[in-house]
């Protein structure tokens, strides 16, 4: 038989350039770790990472029209949703990276350990502390951001799986690098790794099943096969279900949410904010890609799964947030509830729903980055550790009214009060569900409103605690003795930008909603 002629893949250099810039900076950061003097590593790594993310953002922003379409033989599909989500990941990743780099006038990044492999309090850790080696966090973040950029733009299941691993593996390491409460951090990383591997295996198994069904892993080929062979096929149904398990895990949706509170609590707080914003945006972007371009024609075979998972995620996330006494675990269950709210929009299956989901991801992402950024500032005066117990926040409004007021505003955004981005985002996704998801959509919207009321109670309880005078006798050495650190100009600017966007998207949401609606059409 004649050998088929090799046809090289067409490559749109501009389409690949943003991801390539981030990956190149990450590789250069690894080389800096190996060869740069320790005294200049922190500054060099931060500058390199910031410049790379800014350059990728600029290239993507000003060339969006020229990069639209499939590239790399269909491995990447650059369309409106992919471009919007990549821009979101880059901007939120940049803000998160600035907060991670905060040193509070010290030599080391405050939240990151100088030696993640050392026993806490050991001689090896003391040596690492003196040497000041903590900058591997920045190339790890860049590798993860690159994976997050590829994840929603993947044109086939194999590329999506590679992106899933590229974004996940650095996160497993980052979660173990907390400078304080090291054992809790390492436990969180181990749980995240084990459960994440379990979810990745399901995703890969589902990819194999869909390949067996369609003879291809490309989403457009899978969609064509569903059109050619209608009816419920075991390979198709099991493949879809397995793929959804992997995606639900990255979203933090019930019943694949158990990792979320432990990992959010144990990971370094700025890394928690990074995961809560960027990972969720990438995961929902990938879910939209799979559900809307690959297996949409067979949605009546699996749509019931989305309905049930969305309802359970809202209910369990909201109810369990009421019982939390640690503020990071409370925000973790809040994140689970928000994943359910977003799923309500996903199940609408309409162009307007895609725009609403992307708006929600932007609104929630900036709010949660700012919230975890503020948590890094509130410290126990006795130990210097972050004051994560809710009782420690008693009277914070009197000690630092600006910080407490800002945090209260962010909590109101999570609750969905008017004049915040959270209100507009919930209205957008709920409206799409009511308009296009029929009776199940209406039922889930009613359930979502009730769950929003439950979470509002949780948030108002925190506000009440902050603006309640501490009990008589509380001193700097008791549980209520906390102070607020003064961050650098860069960290202050990052938190201020996130808070400003939370307000701006609540007061003037129209321009961004219109832009995202105009960029909501997928290319197969």
């Amino acid at each position: 038989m004649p050998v088929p002629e090799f046809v090289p893949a067409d490559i749109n250099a501009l389409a690949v350039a943003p991801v390539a810039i981030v990956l190149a900076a990450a590789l250069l950061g690894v080389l800096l770790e190996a060869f740069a003097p320790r005294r200049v590593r922190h500054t060099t790594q931060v500058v390199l990472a910031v410049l790379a993310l800014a350059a990728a953002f600029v290239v993507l922003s000003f060339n969006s029209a020229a990069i639209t379409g499939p590239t790399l033989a269909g491995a990447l599909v650059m369309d409106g949703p992919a471009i919007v989500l990549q821009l979101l990941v880059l901007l939120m990743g940049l803000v998160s990276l600035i907060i991670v780099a905060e040193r509070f006038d010290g030599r080391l990044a405050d939240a990151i350990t100088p030696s993640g492999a050392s026993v806490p309090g050991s001689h090896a850790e003391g040596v690492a502390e003196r040497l000041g080696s903590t900058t591997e966090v920045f190339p790890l973040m860049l590798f993860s951001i690159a994976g997050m950029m590829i994840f929603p733009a993947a044109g086939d299941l194999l590329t999506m799986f590679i992106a899933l691993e590229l974004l996940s593996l650095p996160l497993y390491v980052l979660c173990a690098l907390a400078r304080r409460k090291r054992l809790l951090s390492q436990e969180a990383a181990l749980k995240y790794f084990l459960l994440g591997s379990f979810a990745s295996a399901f995703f890969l198994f589902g990819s194999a099943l869909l390949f067996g069904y369609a003879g291809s892993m490309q989403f457009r080929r899978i969609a064509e096969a569903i059109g050619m062979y209608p009816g419920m096929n075991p390979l198709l149904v099991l493949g879809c279900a397995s793929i959804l398990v992997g995606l639900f895990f990255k979203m933090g949706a019930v019943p694949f949410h158990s990792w979320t509170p432990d990992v959010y609590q144990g990971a370094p707080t700025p890394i928690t904010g990074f995961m809560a914003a960027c990972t969720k945006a990438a995961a929902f972007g990938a879910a939209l890609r799979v559900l809307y371009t690959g297996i949409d024609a067979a949605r009546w075979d699996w749509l019931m799964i989305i309905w049930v998972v969305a309802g359970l995620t809202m209910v369990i996330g909201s109810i369990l947030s009421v019982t939390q006494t640690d503020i990071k675990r409370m925000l973790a269950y809040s994140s689970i509830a928000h994943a359910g709210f977003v799923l309500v929009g996903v199940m609408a299956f309409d162009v307007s729903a895609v725009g609403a989901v992307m708006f929600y991801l932007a609104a929630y992402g900036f709010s949660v980055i700012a919230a975890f950024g503020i948590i890094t500032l509130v410290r126990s005066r006795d130990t210097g550790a972050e004051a994560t117990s809710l009782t420690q926040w008693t009277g914070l409004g009197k000690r630092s009214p600006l910080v407490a007021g800002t945090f209260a505003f962010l909590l109101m955004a999570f609750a969905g009060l008017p004049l915040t981005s959270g209100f507009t985002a919930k209205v957008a996704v709920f409206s799409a569900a009511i308009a296009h998801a029929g009776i199940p959509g209406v039922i889930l919207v009613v359930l979502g409103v009730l769950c929003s009321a439950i979470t509002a109670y949780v948030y108002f309880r925190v506000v009440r605690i902050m603006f309640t005078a501490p009990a008589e006798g509380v001193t700097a050495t008791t549980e209520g003795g906390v102070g607020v650190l003064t961050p650098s100009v860069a960290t202050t600017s990052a938190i201020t930008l996130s808070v400003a966007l939370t307000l701006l998207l609540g007061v003037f949401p129209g321009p961004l909603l219109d832009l995202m609606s105009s960029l909501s059409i997928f290319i197969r």
Side-chain angles (χ1 to χ4, degrees), residues 388-405:
T388 59
S389 173
L390 286 177
T391 56
Q392 292 179 285
W393 288 59
T394 304
L396 183 65
K398 182 177 180 180
R399 300 186 188 96
S400 183
L402 178 60
V403 170

Side-chain angles (χ1 to χ4, degrees), residues 61 143 157 182 210 244 325 438 473 507:
S61 299
F143 278 121
L157 289 168
R182 181 81 51 75
L210 290 179
L244 289 174
T325 58
V507 179

